Amino acid sequence: MIPPFLALFCVGLCAGQGDIRRHESLPRPSISAWPSSVVPANSTVTLRCSAPTRDGNFALRKNGFPQGFVPSPDSPEGLAEFHLADLKNSNAGEYTCEYYRRESPHIRSPPSDALLLLVTGNFPKPLLQPHQRGKVTAGGKVTLQCQRPEHLTESIMFALLKKGTSTPIQIQNPVGKETDFSLQNVAVDDTGDYSCVYFQGKPPFWASEPSNHLAIWVTARDSLLEDTESSNRAETTLGTTEIILIIIFTLLFLLAAFLIYRYSNCGAALDKMTKSSHSSKKPEEVVTDVSPAVKSCSLALGCDKGAGQGCRGLA
């Protein structure tokens, strides 16, 4: 016995074909998969069909043909959830959903965009490897290469997956036995575990085992800028310190040179006074004509009344 909602859907389909304007006037629904549209065999996936209306019944199609899956009775208004359990290879394919009005006229909506459901495990896993190593700065580029085994000759496509997302990040045709996935202008949110699969691009859509996960780490550009500015500040501080030290050493050198010069002049003056004193005819005569420079030397050398003979003539 055909379920009532399928019978009503057939009525709506016929009515819709007779009135294209009303058919196109309904908003297009959207379809998504949870937890992912790429899942292993024997697992469970939920296909969700959403539309901006409460007056509608939903139907599911695979590869253009109606399916007998009944929406969950717990689905909220405007949303139909189709639970597909114990998945088999035959469940793989392109799914769309549509809805039709419960009340007259029973016209149906345009179909949603197609969602490709892949059931993995039919081929050996590929190899995923990066073109560059190490951390990536935000705003940069990441290139990942997915490579299938040598012996396969089927017409295939590649899909790049990220853990935690419900659909492939990218889908591409191969170049030989491999393909490159390019992630442009990456952000911190692109950090995560990536894998890839290859699959048939037409029914029955057989897919390989996923590759091993590859961790990608994206660092913030602001952090790098902050580190650079800190380094520049350190270099500036270091340059200032060096200049100060050079000035201090220069002053010390000049002071030392000045002291050496003063002491050298004082020594010559003292020696001259001593010779003059020894050459006097009368020992009791004392030299009283002492130049200012010699007096300065006496002060510099610490001469006083109790100093030695060299200082007596300066006291």
Side-chain angles (χ1 to χ4, degrees), residues 78-266:
L79 177 68
E81 295 184 335
F82 300 89
H83 301 297
L84 283 63
D86 194 22
L87 290 173
K88 307 299 181 185
N89 293 332
S90 58
N91 293 123
E94 293 181 327
Y95 286 81
T96 60
C97 71
E98 51 198 33
Y99 63 95
Y100 62 92
R101 290 171 53 94
R102 296 191 183 103
E103 300 177 357
S104 181
H106 299 290
I107 57 175
R108 66 185 178 94
S109 72
S112 66
D113 292 333
L115 173 74
L116 179 59
L117 179 65
L118 296 177
V119 180
T120 62
N122 290 282
F123 302 121
K125 67 172 60 177
L127 173 65
L128 182 65
Q129 55 189 354
H131 278 206
Q132 65 271 15
R133 300 288 179 179
K135 295 181 180 180
V136 182
T137 305
K141 174 183 176 182
V142 177
T143 302
L144 305 177
Q145 183 181 87
C146 187
Q147 186 179 94
R148 64 171 175 79
E150 291 274 0
H151 63 277
L152 295 177
T153 59
E154 288 84 353
S155 175
I156 61 171
M157 300 183 70
F158 287 89
L160 180 66
L161 314 174
K162 181 185 177 185
K163 189 176 181 179
T165 59
S166 60
T167 56
I169 301 298
Q170 294 181 21
I171 295 179
Q172 289 190 175
N173 291 316
V175 179
K177 65 174 183 176
E178 62 198 23
T179 192
D180 287 343
F181 294 102
S182 180
L183 305 177
Q184 303 285 343
N185 195 27
V186 294
V188 175
D189 292 342
D190 292 314
T191 297
D193 294 330
Y194 290 79
S195 61
C196 69
V197 297
Y198 56 95
F199 61 95
Q200 295 173 328
K202 56 184 179 181
F205 296 105
W206 285 4
S208 71
E209 291 280 355
S211 68
N212 292 335
H213 282 98
L214 178 66
I216 301 296
W217 182 266
V218 181
T219 59
R221 182 184 296 273
D222 292 341
S223 298
L224 180 62
L225 179 60
E226 182 179 352
D227 294 340
T228 303
E229 290 177 348
S230 299
S231 177
N232 291 338
R233 286 196 298 269
E235 292 177 358
T236 302
T237 303
L238 180 61
T240 303
T241 303
E242 289 177 345
I243 293 174
I244 293 174
L245 290 176
I246 290 173
I247 293 174
I248 292 174
F249 281 119
T250 302
L251 292 176
L252 290 176
F253 175 77
L254 294 176
L255 179 61
F258 174 74
L259 292 177
I260 292 172
Y261 172 77
R262 290 295 302 274
Y263 274 90
S264 296
N265 289 345
C266 287

